[in-house]
Amino acid sequence: MALLDLNPVPMLRLYPVANGRNEWVALGMDLRAGSVSEQLASLFGTPDLLAAIAPLDCVLLLADPAALTPNLLTLLPPNRVVLAFAAAALAQEGTVQRLSNLYASGYRLMLDGPLPAGSARPADVRAVSLDCRDAAPPAGSLLALFGPHLAHHVDTRARLDACTRAGFTWFSGDYSLAPGPGEGQDGTSRRRILGLLALLATDADSRELELLLKQDPALSYHLLKLVNSAAFAVNTTITGYAQAIAVLGRRQLQRWLQLLLYARASADGLPNLLLPLAALRAGQLEILCKREGGDRDAQDLAFMTGAFSLLDRLLGMPMAEILADLRLPEHVSAALLAREGILGQRLLLAERGPDETTMARAGVGRAGWWDSQLHAHHWAIQVGRNV
């Protein structure tokens, strides 16, 4: 991915938007603060952003359609961009006509938030975007509108269910980090996973990996599905563990298995949203390490740190207990347990998004942050499509 040499590079965090089948369908950006013209020029002035997140769309949360000048609109292809405007803008003269013009130009439109008193919903805007951190609308209340409707700040599974009943079909928020009913691993499964993780953290023999893989049908299924996917374009069907290891190579095998642990659901179950999040963190920490000249081993440890950072969520057990069985290098354990050190601060950046203090502690500049974010999302999207 080409580096962005923009001044200033916007310190914006991309956030995933998923559908009801736990598939990423878009990435969102909140552009309500700051200069819209400067932010859009920086974000879309080069092909890097849309190329990195293809084939996903961008959902742009904006305060007012009046800010979108003809020159800015030339940067925003209607087939890749969804425009979500604050509903409060309807109180301003000319907003309805501007929305109609955007709709006629092919843009998909949403209204974000409640309608102002005395305002009617324009006929050309048939989708809703709503902050649902406090509550969801009544069940069925959105079904009469065309959609798709986006619920953001959905942070619990209960809120996700309520938003689904209301008629939302797109969701963003931290609900993927919250355990769902019946999730978690039994004692035998946990021991098997921890055993495999311990092998992955060391230079384990391939035959040892094969023995554990044979005991885990779900993980074996996902591994064989992966190596037979378009990502590897092999000419023959891979049916055995030794073949899979040979195709991937030991280094790539370890990396993919670190992520495939999150894809342990049955073959006909929903994808686990922890998988692309783990890939996102792993990819961002790896590229930040590479940018500063870290060698291959250091990059591998950075990748592992990001990949393992959600194991407590996956296994439903404290991170300290997990790390006790893995014998990771001290700085990796410190990053995972307490977000200490450069690696820990970079993990915080990947988790929370950029702020000047954390970026300074992590030794990451604006351009480095933005480039690593694009790289990580590109990688996470590919992982989600191939697993």
Side-chain angles (χ1 to χ4, degrees):
M1 196 62 55
L3 299 182
L4 291 179
D5 186 19
L6 303 173
N7 188 22
V9 175
M11 289 218 308
L12 282 173
R13 184 187 186 191
L14 305 176
Y15 57 87
V17 175
N19 61 18
R21 291 196 52 79
N22 288 356
E23 300 163 332
W24 284 10
V25 292
L27 294 177
M29 286 179 282
D30 190 342
L31 302 177
R32 290 175 295 181
S35 167
V36 171
S37 59
E38 289 181 5
Q39 291 184 94
L40 289 178
S42 295
L43 290 167
F44 295 93
T46 73
D48 293 58
L49 172 59
L50 292 176
I53 71 169
L56 301 190
D57 293 330
C58 275
V59 178
L60 305 183
L61 187 56
L62 301 157
D64 186 351
L68 294 181
T69 64
N71 285 340
L72 287 178
L73 288 174
T74 62
L75 303 176
L76 306 178
N79 64 323
R80 296 290 308 281
V81 172
V82 180
L83 303 175
F85 297 104
L90 290 173
Q92 302 172 18
E93 186 177 352
T95 294
V96 173
Q97 184 59 51
R98 292 187 186 98
L99 292 175
S100 179
N101 293 341
L102 289 169
Y103 178 79
S105 297
Y107 288 101
R108 292 161 289 170
L109 307 177
M110 292 179 169
L111 279 182
D112 183 72
L115 295 175
S119 296
R121 186 177 304 280
D124 293 330
V125 185
R126 296 174 289 175
V128 168
S129 167
L130 191 63
D131 187 329
C132 294
R133 76 184 77 200
D134 296 322
S141 58
L142 300 178
L143 296 180
L145 297 173
F146 183 76
H149 308 301
L150 168 61
H152 45 96
H153 291 107
V154 180
D155 295 332
T156 67
R157 296 299 179 100
R159 189 60 45 77
L160 174 67
D161 292 341
C163 289
T164 301
R165 290 193 295 270
F168 290 100
T169 54
W170 286 8
F171 312 92
S172 69
D174 288 337
Y175 66 92
S176 57
L177 301 177
E183 291 187 2
Q185 312 288 340
D186 60 30
T188 301
S189 179
R190 281 181 178 175
R191 286 192 296 272
R192 188 181 301 133
I193 293 174
L194 290 173
L196 182 56
L197 289 171
L199 292 177
L200 292 174
T202 62
D203 191 19
D205 186 270
S206 298
R207 286 171 294 183
E208 295 180 82
L209 293 174
E210 285 186 54
L211 287 175
L212 274 180
L213 285 169
K214 289 176 180 177
Q215 299 173 39
D216 196 321
L219 187 57
S220 299
Y221 161 79
H222 286 293
L223 175 62
L224 294 177
K225 176 185 174 185
L226 170 69
V227 295
N228 284 295
S229 72
F232 293 94
V234 293
N235 295 323
T236 59
T237 301
I238 305 299
T239 59
Y241 303 108
Q243 282 180 290
I245 293 172
V247 168
L248 289 171
R250 288 191 53 81
R251 185 173 184 241
Q252 288 301 318
L253 174 70
Q254 290 188 338
R255 290 182 166 220
W256 279 105
L257 284 178
Q258 288 166 15
L259 297 176
L260 287 176
L261 291 167
Y262 295 93
R264 297 176 51 77
S266 61
D268 57 352
L270 292 179
N272 187 345
L273 278 173
L274 290 178
L275 172 63
L277 290 181
L280 189 65
R281 296 182 184 184
Q284 187 157 19
L285 267 62
E286 177 193 25
I287 195 63
L288 287 173
C289 178
K290 183 177 181 179
R291 281 177 60 100
E292 70 168 11
D295 61 20
R296 199 163 88 160
D297 289 341
Q299 293 174 41
D300 287 345
L301 289 175
F303 184 97
M304 180 187 292
T305 302
F308 284 6
S309 65
L310 290 166
L311 286 178
D312 53 343
R313 305 281 185 171
L314 176 71
L315 300 177
M317 57 190 294
M319 183 63 77
E321 292 184 26
I322 297 171
L323 296 182
D325 294 319
L326 299 187
R327 302 175 200 165
L328 298 177
E330 185 175 344
H331 72 290
V332 174
S333 294
L336 289 169
L337 278 175
R339 304 303 186 258
E340 293 179 350
I342 291 289
L343 200 53
Q345 291 299 306
R346 290 178 177 176
L347 181 54
L348 271 180
L349 278 178
E351 291 172 331
R352 301 177 184 175
D355 66 78
E356 297 287 1
T357 300
T358 307
M359 290 174 68
R361 290 173 178 168
V364 177
R366 283 178 174 243
W369 154 258
W370 180 251
D371 180 61
S372 69
Q373 186 180 206
L374 284 191
H375 171 93
H377 277 89
H378 181 77
W379 162 245
I381 291 166
Q382 301 312 308
V383 169
R385 290 171 64 83
N386 285 300
V387 175

